[in-house]
């Protein structure tokens, strides 16, 4: 049963203490907010406690929070946190009326719209607030937030947004607009990573020095933010996942599902999705998304730097 609205505490809940969620939760702590982090991983919870926060094993412990951020992987996890198994026993039913759910995962815009309506029926406020910037920007409180929601939602989350973001885009008054813009971003991000991998595969197949190639392209018109950011992972032979291959299998599938809803063909995004799907099928799903280059390597059998090679190179 929901508690009275005057029982809402000033605590901020963060569900999901992965790379993005941990950084975000720690940024909130640094700004003096009272934060409870929730994750199924005991290691993640212990790390957040070491940073000065409180932790919870289950979302139910966040029922009294004034704002809860969902920094989870996908819509299925959002459903599980908010509504529980088969719509029973989730966090949403236990939160006090007037509390805010900040939905930060990449989900289909149509799902974000429907979620806002379901939460409103429970007396809750939703801020559609997908985030971008990676783990590094999350740690420094410099994320970009692509958001949409009511004036009430922004008023109640002002301190949270100020602590976690360098830029907050206010894109509309209802949930859905934020997720729509994030989907465009993910379309471009996935295409650019796949294109960067393909370009490096082309260079490697022609016998070029990949370090020199990287330097030339990053000072030329062919550069992109993703090329500049992801190709160093290839040059170091380090595929430790900062953002995994399977994330773009998920996100580009959402792009395509939305395209089907709109009857909009997207062949370029389709090609990128096939490359990420091939990488995942080859067992690379949990490696860094730059590992999509290995799909090309397995077809053409060119050399790529190995991690130990990178360690031997002078810095």
């Amino acid at each position: 049963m929901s508690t009275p609205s005057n029982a809402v505490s000033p605590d901020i809940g963060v569900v999901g203490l992965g790379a993005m969620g941990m950084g975000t939760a720690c940024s909130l702590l640094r700004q003096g907010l009272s934060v409870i982090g929730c994750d199924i991983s005991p290691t993640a919870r212990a790390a957040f406690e070491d940073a000065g926060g409180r932790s919870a094993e289950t979302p139910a412990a966040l029922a009294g929070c004034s704002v809860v951020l969902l920094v989870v992987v996908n819509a299925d996890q959002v459903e599980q946190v908010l509504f529980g198994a088969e719509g029973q026993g989730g966090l949403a039913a236990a939160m006090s009326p007037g509390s805010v759910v900040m939905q930060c995962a990449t989900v289909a815009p149509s799902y974000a719209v429907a979620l806002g309506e379901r939460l409103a029926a429970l007396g809750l406020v939703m801020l559609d607030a997908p985030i971008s910037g990676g783990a590094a920007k999350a740690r420094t409180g410099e994320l970009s937030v692509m958001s949409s929601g009511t004036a009430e939602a922004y008023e109640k989350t002002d301190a949270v947004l100020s602590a976690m973001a360098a830029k907050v885009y206010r894109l509309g008054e209802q949930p859905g607009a934020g997720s729509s813009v994030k989907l465009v971003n993910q379309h471009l991000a996935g295409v650019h990573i796949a294109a960067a991998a393909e370009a490096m595969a082309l260079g490697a197949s022609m016998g070029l020095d990949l370090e020199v190639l990287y330097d030339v392209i990053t000072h030329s018109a062919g550069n992109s933010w993703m090329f500049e950011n992801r190709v160093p992972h290839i040059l170091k032979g380090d595929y430790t996942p900062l953002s995994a291959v399977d994330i773009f299998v998920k996100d580009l599938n959402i792009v395509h599902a939305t395209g089907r809803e709109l009857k909009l063909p997207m062949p370029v995004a389709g090609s990128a999705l096939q490359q990420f799907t091939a990488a995942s099928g080859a067992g690379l799903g949990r490696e860094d998304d730059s590992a999509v280059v290995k799909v090309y390597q397995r077809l053409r059998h060119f050399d790529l730097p190995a991690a130990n090679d990178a360690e031997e190179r002078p810095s």
Side-chain angles (χ1 to χ4, degrees):
M1 183 172 67
S2 296
T3 55
S5 58
N6 60 9
V8 176
S9 80
D11 291 334
I12 309 299
V14 178
V15 181
L17 296 174
M20 296 286 279
M22 180 68 79
T24 299
C26 289
S27 291
L28 301 181
L29 280 179
R30 284 196 304 273
Q31 295 303 312
L33 298 174
S34 176
V35 186
I36 305 173
C38 175
D39 200 282
I40 60 173
S41 166
T43 302
R45 296 197 302 271
F48 186 58
E49 290 173 2
D50 289 343
R54 290 173 289 155
S55 74
E57 185 175 351
T58 64
L62 308 182
C65 292
S66 58
V67 179
V68 175
L69 288 74
L70 305 183
V71 195
V72 295
V73 173
N74 54 30
D76 287 344
Q77 291 187 2
V78 172
E79 284 289 308
Q80 186 67 29
V81 168
L82 290 178
F83 303 108
E86 300 181 357
Q88 302 295 322
L91 174 61
M95 292 179 72
S96 299
S99 301
V100 182
V101 174
M102 280 183 62
Q103 200 304 103
C104 300
T106 300
V107 300
S110 56
Y111 175 80
V113 171
L115 180 62
E117 294 171 351
R118 293 162 71 191
L119 293 175
L122 294 171
L124 303 177
V125 179
M126 176 176 160
L127 188 68
D128 186 16
I131 54 181
S132 182
K137 293 292 180 70
R139 288 193 298 270
T140 58
E142 296 177 299
L143 291 168
S144 292
V145 181
M146 304 167 211
S147 66
S148 59
T150 62
E152 179 186 11
Y154 284 109
E155 180 182 356
K156 290 183 173 183
T157 59
D158 181 66
V160 173
L161 292 169
S162 296
M164 66 187 282
K167 183 67 176 179
V168 178
Y169 293 94
R170 297 191 177 198
L171 302 164
E173 297 181 354
Q174 300 298 327
S179 287
S180 295
V181 172
K182 178 60 186 296
L183 202 60
V184 174
N185 182 78
Q186 294 309 95
H187 174 297
L188 290 169
V191 166
H192 289 173
I193 294 168
E198 186 171 288
M200 294 305 289
L202 175 62
S205 297
M206 294 189 295
L208 299 179
D209 184 314
L210 298 185
E211 297 273 4
V212 172
L213 178 60
Y214 175 75
D215 185 58
V216 172
I217 297 302
T218 53
H219 292 88
S220 303
N223 192 32
S224 69
W225 190 93
M226 281 300 189
F227 185 95
E228 192 163 347
N229 183 267
R230 295 306 204 267
V231 171
H233 303 184
I234 298 171
L235 299 178
K236 294 175 183 177
D238 182 1
Y239 299 97
T240 303
L242 300 180
S243 174
V245 163
D246 278 345
I247 293 294
F248 277 98
V249 175
K250 170 185 73 76
D251 289 356
L252 289 173
N253 265 306
I254 297 173
V255 168
H256 270 269
T258 302
R260 287 193 297 273
E261 290 176 9
L262 299 171
K263 296 182 173 58
L264 174 68
M266 286 179 287
V268 177
S271 178
L273 173 58
Q274 291 305 310
Q275 293 304 98
F276 283 108
T277 302
S280 183
L284 305 172
R286 294 195 173 187
E287 293 195 17
D288 187 77
D289 50 36
S290 59
V292 71
V293 72
K294 296 181 183 179
V295 173
Y296 296 94
Q297 182 192 33
R298 294 180 184 193
L299 294 172
R300 181 61 179 77
H301 305 295
F302 53 80
D303 291 330
L304 285 174
N308 58 347
D309 294 336
E311 292 167 3
E312 292 170 3
R313 279 194 208 105
S315 59

